[in-house]
PDB file of all heavy atoms in Angstrom:
ATOM      1  N   ARG A 212       1.431  10.838  23.360  1.00 96.00           N
ATOM      2  CA  ARG A 212       1.599   9.873  22.260  1.00 96.00           C
ATOM      3  C   ARG A 212       2.917  10.221  21.337  1.00 96.00           C
ATOM      4  O   ARG A 212       3.692   9.328  21.083  1.00 96.00           O
ATOM      5  CB  ARG A 212       0.565   9.849  21.229  1.00 96.00           C
ATOM      6  CG  ARG A 212      -0.773   9.322  21.839  1.00 96.00           C
ATOM      7  CD  ARG A 212      -1.981   9.498  20.916  1.00 96.00           C
ATOM      8  NE  ARG A 212      -3.163   9.094  21.541  1.00 96.00           N
ATOM      9  CZ  ARG A 212      -3.751   7.812  21.383  1.00 96.00           C
ATOM     10  NH1 ARG A 212      -3.283   7.064  20.697  1.00 96.00           N
ATOM     11  NH2 ARG A 212      -4.833   7.673  22.031  1.00 96.00           N
ATOM     12  N   LEU A 215       5.798   8.915  23.253  1.00 94.00           N
ATOM     13  CA  LEU A 215       5.863   7.530  23.265  1.00 94.00           C
ATOM     14  C   LEU A 215       6.309   6.931  21.824  1.00 94.00           C
ATOM     15  O   LEU A 215       6.499   5.704  21.712  1.00 94.00           O
ATOM     16  CB  LEU A 215       4.537   6.805  23.527  1.00 94.00           C
ATOM     17  CG  LEU A 215       4.126   6.852  24.999  1.00 94.00           C
ATOM     18  CD1 LEU A 215       2.804   6.320  25.141  1.00 94.00           C
ATOM     19  CD2 LEU A 215       5.092   6.038  25.782  1.00 94.00           C
ATOM     20  N   THR A 454      -7.348  -1.331   7.346  1.00 95.00           N
ATOM     21  CA  THR A 454      -6.125  -1.953   7.944  1.00 95.00           C
ATOM     22  C   THR A 454      -5.094  -0.840   7.935  1.00 95.00           C
ATOM     23  O   THR A 454      -4.488  -0.579   8.975  1.00 95.00           O
ATOM     24  CB  THR A 454      -5.569  -3.173   7.095  1.00 95.00           C
ATOM     25  OG1 THR A 454      -6.497  -4.131   7.200  1.00 95.00           O
ATOM     26  CG2 THR A 454      -4.388  -3.662   7.635  1.00 95.00           C
ATOM     27  N   GLU A 472       4.509  12.983   3.669  1.00 96.00           N
ATOM     28  CA  GLU A 472       5.213  12.404   2.613  1.00 96.00           C
ATOM     29  C   GLU A 472       4.662  12.873   1.264  1.00 96.00           C
ATOM     30  O   GLU A 472       5.360  13.303   0.327  1.00 96.00           O
ATOM     31  CB  GLU A 472       5.270  10.910   2.661  1.00 96.00           C
ATOM     32  CG  GLU A 472       5.970  10.290   1.629  1.00 96.00           C
ATOM     33  CD  GLU A 472       5.411   8.995   1.109  1.00 96.00           C
ATOM     34  OE1 GLU A 472       5.527   7.920   1.878  1.00 96.00           O
ATOM     35  OE2 GLU A 472       4.877   8.948  -0.015  1.00 96.00           O
TER      36      GLU A 472
ATOM     37  N   ARG B 987      -0.332   1.481  25.561  1.00 96.00           N
ATOM     38  CA  ARG B 987      -0.636   1.843  24.160  1.00 96.00           C
ATOM     39  C   ARG B 987      -1.916   1.233  23.659  1.00 96.00           C
ATOM     40  O   ARG B 987      -2.821   1.851  22.922  1.00 96.00           O
ATOM     41  CB  ARG B 987       0.507   1.418  23.208  1.00 96.00           C
ATOM     42  CG  ARG B 987       1.693   2.156  23.373  1.00 96.00           C
ATOM     43  CD  ARG B 987       2.838   1.545  22.645  1.00 96.00           C
ATOM     44  NE  ARG B 987       4.145   2.111  23.045  1.00 96.00           N
ATOM     45  CZ  ARG B 987       4.735   3.104  22.222  1.00 96.00           C
ATOM     46  NH1 ARG B 987       4.058   3.606  21.228  1.00 96.00           N
ATOM     47  NH2 ARG B 987       5.926   3.517  22.696  1.00 96.00           N
ATOM     48  N   ARG B 990      -4.867   3.062  24.824  1.00 94.00           N
ATOM     49  CA  ARG B 990      -5.080   4.381  24.205  1.00 94.00           C
ATOM     50  C   ARG B 990      -5.592   4.316  22.748  1.00 94.00           C
ATOM     51  O   ARG B 990      -5.683   5.370  22.017  1.00 94.00           O
ATOM     52  CB  ARG B 990      -3.673   5.055  24.115  1.00 94.00           C
ATOM     53  CG  ARG B 990      -3.413   5.913  25.255  1.00 94.00           C
ATOM     54  CD  ARG B 990      -1.971   6.523  25.157  1.00 94.00           C
ATOM     55  NE  ARG B 990      -1.607   7.166  26.356  1.00 94.00           N
ATOM     56  CZ  ARG B 990      -1.858   8.403  26.577  1.00 94.00           C
ATOM     57  NH1 ARG B 990      -2.391   9.280  25.700  1.00 94.00           N
ATOM     58  NH2 ARG B 990      -1.485   9.066  27.837  1.00 94.00           N
ATOM     59  N   THR B1225       7.594   5.023   5.422  1.00 96.00           N
ATOM     60  CA  THR B1225       6.336   5.742   5.661  1.00 96.00           C
ATOM     61  C   THR B1225       5.313   4.727   6.299  1.00 96.00           C
ATOM     62  O   THR B1225       4.627   4.918   7.264  1.00 96.00           O
ATOM     63  CB  THR B1225       5.689   6.358   4.412  1.00 96.00           C
ATOM     64  OG1 THR B1225       6.617   7.264   4.056  1.00 96.00           O
ATOM     65  CG2 THR B1225       4.433   7.088   4.798  1.00 96.00           C
ATOM     66  N   GLU B1243      -4.341  -9.351   9.357  1.00 94.00           N
ATOM     67  CA  GLU B1243      -5.264  -9.334   8.115  1.00 94.00           C
ATOM     68  C   GLU B1243      -4.723 -10.458   7.107  1.00 94.00           C
ATOM     69  O   GLU B1243      -5.432 -11.090   6.547  1.00 94.00           O
ATOM     70  CB  GLU B1243      -5.282  -7.930   7.523  1.00 94.00           C
ATOM     71  CG  GLU B1243      -6.156  -7.797   6.341  1.00 94.00           C
ATOM     72  CD  GLU B1243      -5.526  -6.982   5.310  1.00 94.00           C
ATOM     73  OE1 GLU B1243      -5.567  -5.831   5.427  1.00 94.00           O
ATOM     74  OE2 GLU B1243      -4.992  -7.449   4.327  1.00 94.00           O
TER      75      GLU B1243
END
Side-chain angles (χ1 to χ4, degrees):
Chain A
R212 288 171 190 264
L215 282 177
T454 299
E472 184 217 281
Chain B
R987 290 170 192 265
R990 273 177 187 267
T1225 301
E1243 185 219 280

